[in-house]
Each structure stands twice: as C-alpha cells, then as structure tokens.
Amino acid sequence: MGRDADIVVVGGGITGVAAARALAQGGRAVLLLEQFELGHDRGSSHGGSRIFRLAYPDAHYVRLAQGAREGWRELEAECGETLIVTAGALDFGPIALEHARALASCGVRYELLDGRDVSMRWPIDADPGEPVLYQPDGGTTLADRAHAAFAAAARQSGAEILENTPVTEIELGPGVVRVHTAREEIVARAVVVAAGAWAQALLAPLRIELAVVPTRETVTYFDLPGALELPTVVDDAVPDARAHGLRRPGLINYALPAPGIGLKCGLHHAGPPANPDERGEPDEAVVRWASTWVARRFPEVDPSPVGAETCLYTSTADESFVLERHGRVVVASACSGHGFKFAPLLGRTIAAMARDAAG
Ligand SMILES: Cc1cc2nc3c(=O)[nH]c(=O)nc-3n(C[C@H](O)[C@H](O)[C@H](O)COP(=O)(O)OP(=O)(O)OC[C@H]3O[C@@H](n4cnc5c(N)ncnc54)[C@H](O)[C@@H]3O)c2cc1C
C-alpha cells in the first residue's frame, strides 16, 4: 500500500508539532508520523514545564529567544490559553554577569541584584555579595499544554498526525522521498526529520551524519504549593562530582515550577550517553544531589524528593541546534537541553526549509 504526501514530518515532539503547524498554516499538506503516542515520556518534550528565559551569554540566542517569545504570544492568542507563566528568571553566580552583558546589548530589561535582595524578595537563599540576575520577562513554559496547543493548531490547519507509526526507513528517489512505515510507503516531496535522540539511526543510511550525543538526564520533583509564582533559577555552582558520587559534574543547577507537583530540579548535562530505545531509570546520585542543592537554595522546601524521572538530551558539542537541508531532507535536531523555548521560531524556520526542499 502507498500514498502521496506533500511534506512528511518524522517525530511528534515539540519540534515536529511546531514544524507541522507552521507548514499546515502555510497551506502545505503535511503528514506527521510519531512512533509512540503524542505526549509520551520516552523522548525530550514530556512533562509540565520548561524554563523560558531571554538570558543567554550570547546575544544571538537572546535575539532568538525574543523572536520565539513573539511566536509564543501568537500561539497563546490562537489557542486562548496561557502557555508561559511570566514570573521572572534568576541566574546565580558568574553567568549572571555574562547574561547581563548580552541582555544589555539587546535592550532587554533586567536587574542585577545582590544575594541579600533575593532572599528579601523570594523564598530563595543567596549569599550576600553573590551576583544574581533577575530577568522579569523570563518564566515557565507550560510544556505539555504548549505541545498540545501546537498539535491542535496543526490539525486545525489540516495537518494529519498518525501516532504509533514508526518510520522504518527513508529512501531517496528521483524527485521524491519515500518514507516507509510498517503499514505503507509514503511518497513525499520533502521530509523533515525531527526525531530527537532517534534521528542519527534514521539518517545514517542516507549518509547524513549528525554530530550529536543523546544522554539520559534525571529530573527530581519536590513538594511546593504555589510554586508557579516563583521565578525559575539557574545556578552555576556545580557540585564536586566525586564527592557526591556523580558520573558527571553537570554544567548548571536549575529549578522551575512544576504545575501540579511543586518544584522541578535538575543538573544540566549530568547524564550518561544513552540508547533511546532502552527505558532508563533516574540516577540516584543526581536525585541525592538535587536534594542537597534544594536544601541550600530553597530553605522552605522539604528536600525529600516526591518523584524523579528521566528525559533525553540530544546535544551538539557547543549546545547549538542542527537545522540542515540535504536535498529533500530537512534535519532538525533542536535540543541540547534548551530547545523548547525556541519551538515557535524553529517551527517556522523548519517549515521554510521544508518548502524549499519540496520545490
Ligand atoms: C531534562 C530536560 C530539561 C529541559 N529543560 C529545558 C528548559 O528548561 N528549557 C528549554 O527551552 N528546553 C529544555 N529542554 C530541552 C527541550 O525539552 C528539547 O529541546 C525539546 O523537547 C526537543 O524536542 P524534539 O521534538 O526535538 O525531540 P523529542 O521530544 O525527543 O521528539 C522526537 C520525537 O520523534 C519521535 N521519533 C523518533 N524516531 C521516530 C521514528 N523512526 N518514527 C516516528 N517517530 C519517531 C520520538 O518518539 C519523539 O516523540 C529540556 C530537556 C530535558 C530532557
């Protein structure tokens, strides 16, 4: 059995649904294929929240985040829901000063605080003299709602989404791409591969090399009523890995509200390389460290975890994204642990690349 499609999107994580919406709204017939159910917890896009921040050390990313924020506003207007809770974002340590420089160069408002000011304004502990950046336009993206909003908008504009439909092979033909599933062969004018940690394996037979490393990261949850009103926190005081039994020291600690639970905490880039087809367990050492860090920064939070789960990063060496066109194949690997916030912008960019690829 077979059928034709204009553009096929492989992968229904946040990148795939954002691309499908942008393509469908641009009038293209789009078919999205997801190997599991939408919203599943085996990739990178599940869960209730992600940090939204404009603060980056590099002005280029600040501008991208500004562009993405406009895109989130459009999606909020379209679906009639709040998708970003703007309660602010705090950065602790030397990165606060780096971020402040980049924000200043882009005209983004921020305050540089002393640790003492922080403890007076929020139930968050900081040392006197410790530099802290407060960025009022930061906050928490309601991730599962955002994912559902993109998928609904894509469907509303005519995109077809097939769940539980793994793509087994992508084959290049003269002037077309053949996308194979267990049930059928789809002949398309272009394909977008937004397959997260699975993309390398799908692309290798096409001789498209993707220089990314999938890792399994652990996030830990703590009870905290009313957490949605708190700013997100990024703290570059990372642990001594050996002293805490960690495989990798990580790059930063982070915390953000987790709707319906309380506080979600993680240690950025502390997880080991992972096979996405294996089901992984949270790393106990990372969970223990999260408790230690929460006790230090959030004195009012009970540091006994109420839950933990894993989530996959798919990272390039410099944490940039991969957005590439190889003839009729567009590759979008948009994670590196910080890609969610850019989804509206990435969706539009990928759609433009796919339109070019389709000819
Ligand atoms: C612990 C953690 C914390 C994070 N924190 C933040 C944050 O605070 N702020 C932020 O902006 N970003 C954050 N991120 C990053 C963000 O979540 C990712 O950038 C984003 O979710 C990546 O989405 P994706 O669609 O590219 O990948 P995925 O969500 O993994 O989607 C890929 C999809 O492709 C499907 N697929 C794969 N192979 C096939 C196939 N052969 N056929 C059909 N379907 C297939 C998979 O099942 C999957 O659903 C975090 C990520 C993690 C893991």
Side-chain angles (χ1 to χ4, degrees), residues 112 130 170-171 186 235 244 298 339 355:
L112 270 178
E130 186 174 15
I170 298 169
E171 211 190 329
I186 301 143
D235 174 4
H244 293 276
F298 297 88
R355 282 193 292 270

Side-chain angles (χ1 to χ4, degrees), residues 3 15 22-23 27 34 37-38 58 104 109 151 159-160 193 225 236 242 252 266 280 285 334-335 340-341:
R3 65 159 138 170
T15 309
L23 281 164
E34 165 55 48
E37 281 168 15
L38 286 191
D58 180 341
R109 61 188 179 139
E160 187 181 357
V193 178
D236 69 2
R242 200 181 300 177
I252 46 173
C335 185
F340 206 100
K341 69 181 70 57

Side-chain angles (χ1 to χ4, degrees), residues 49-51 53 90-92 95 217-222 231-239 250-257 263-270 286 289-290 293-294 297-298 309-311 313 337-338:
S49 58
R50 294 288 187 282
I51 294 175
R53 61 190 160 98
L90 294 169
D91 298 337
F92 291 74
I95 50 163
E217 306 291 330
T218 293
V219 294
T220 309
Y221 293 97
F222 300 89
T232 61
V233 170
V234 166
D235 174 4
D236 69 2
V238 292
L251 298 176
I252 46 173
N253 302 286
Y254 63 84
L256 65 157
L263 201 63
K264 169 180 174 179
C265 298
L267 181 56
H268 184 56
H269 281 300
V286 176
W289 164 253
W293 181 69
V294 159
R297 284 292 184 203
F298 297 88
E309 65 179 346
T310 72
C311 184
Y313 278 4
H338 68 123

Side-chain angles (χ1 to χ4, degrees), residues 9-17 33-40 42-46 49-53 56 141 147 162 165-169 194-199 202 215 217-219 254 256 264 266 268 309-314 321 332-342 346:
V9 176
V10 183
I14 195 70
T15 309
V17 291
L33 305 172
E34 165 55 48
Q35 63 181 342
F36 304 126
E37 281 168 15
L38 286 191
H40 69 87
R42 297 184 59 176
S44 306
S45 299
H46 55 284
S49 58
R50 294 288 187 282
I51 294 175
F52 181 84
R53 61 190 160 98
Y56 270 88
T141 310
H147 182 270
L162 294 183
T165 307
V167 169
T168 50
E169 191 190 353
W198 289 265
L202 208 50
T215 56
E217 306 291 330
T218 293
V219 294
Y254 63 84
L256 65 157
K264 169 180 174 179
H268 184 56
E309 65 179 346
T310 72
C311 184
L312 296 173
Y313 278 4
T314 304
F321 312 130
S333 182
C335 185
S336 290
H338 68 123
F340 206 100
K341 69 181 70 57
F342 299 107
L346 292 171

